[in-house]
Amino acid sequence: MSKELSPKYNPAEVEAGRYQKWLDADVFKPSGDQKAKPYSIVIPPPNVTGKLHLGHAWDTTLQDIIIRQKRMQGFDTLWLPGMDTLGLRLRLRLRSVCGSKEFPAMTSVVNLS
C-alpha cells in the first residue's frame, strides 16, 4: 500500500480543518486545572523592521517544543503572544518623525510609514 508523495508541500491539503478543531478544543487556552502548576511562554513581538530571519524561526520552534513538553508533563500551559516593548529602533524612528527625545509608553500599534 504505497502512496506517491507530492513533490511540493500543500499546506491547505494537509492542514484542512485542523485549526478549527484546535479552536473548538480550546487548545490555545490553559486548562484551568487548579492542581496543575502554571507554566507560560510569552512570544516576543516581531522586530520593528518587519524582517524575519532564521533566528525567529528557531526561537518559535524551541518555544513550541517547550510548551508542548510542559503540557505533556501536566503543567497548565499558556503560550501567549508578546507586546511591543518599544525597542531602540522604534524609538529612533519616532525621534526622526516627531523630533522628540522622550516618548510615553505606547498601548496601541503605531503606523509610522
Side-chain angles (χ1 to χ4, degrees):
M1 184 163 98
S2 67
K3 180 180 177 184
E4 189 165 328
L5 295 176
S6 173
K8 290 185 176 182
Y9 175 68
N10 182 355
E13 179 183 311
V14 175
E15 299 169 5
R18 287 188 183 166
Y19 191 74
Q20 188 58 50
K21 288 178 187 176
W22 296 340
L23 290 174
D24 294 342
D26 285 335
V27 297
F28 301 114
K29 296 179 182 177
S31 69
D33 181 356
Q34 298 297 317
K35 297 176 193 160
K37 187 173 179 180
Y39 186 88
S40 65
I41 295 178
V42 177
I43 304 169
N47 53 359
V48 77
T49 63
K51 294 179 182 173
L52 299 178
H53 52 75
L54 191 56
H56 292 98
W58 179 241
D59 180 53
T60 303
T61 301
L62 290 175
Q63 290 179 28
D64 183 46
I65 291 168
I66 293 167
I67 206 76
R68 288 171 189 253
Q69 177 189 22
K70 291 298 183 181
R71 180 172 284 174
M72 288 188 290
Q73 291 173 339
F75 285 80
D76 188 20
T77 59
L78 176 62
W79 196 10
L80 184 68
M83 61 179 147
D84 190 347
T85 57
L86 204 64
L88 178 60
R89 291 184 75 118
L90 180 56
R91 285 186 175 270
L92 293 173
R93 179 71 175 134
L94 284 170
R95 187 176 298 156
S96 70
V97 170
C98 302
S100 176
K101 292 186 178 185
E102 294 301 320
F103 304 97
M106 295 172 54
T107 56
S108 62
V109 176
V110 175
N111 183 357
L112 297 174
S113 50

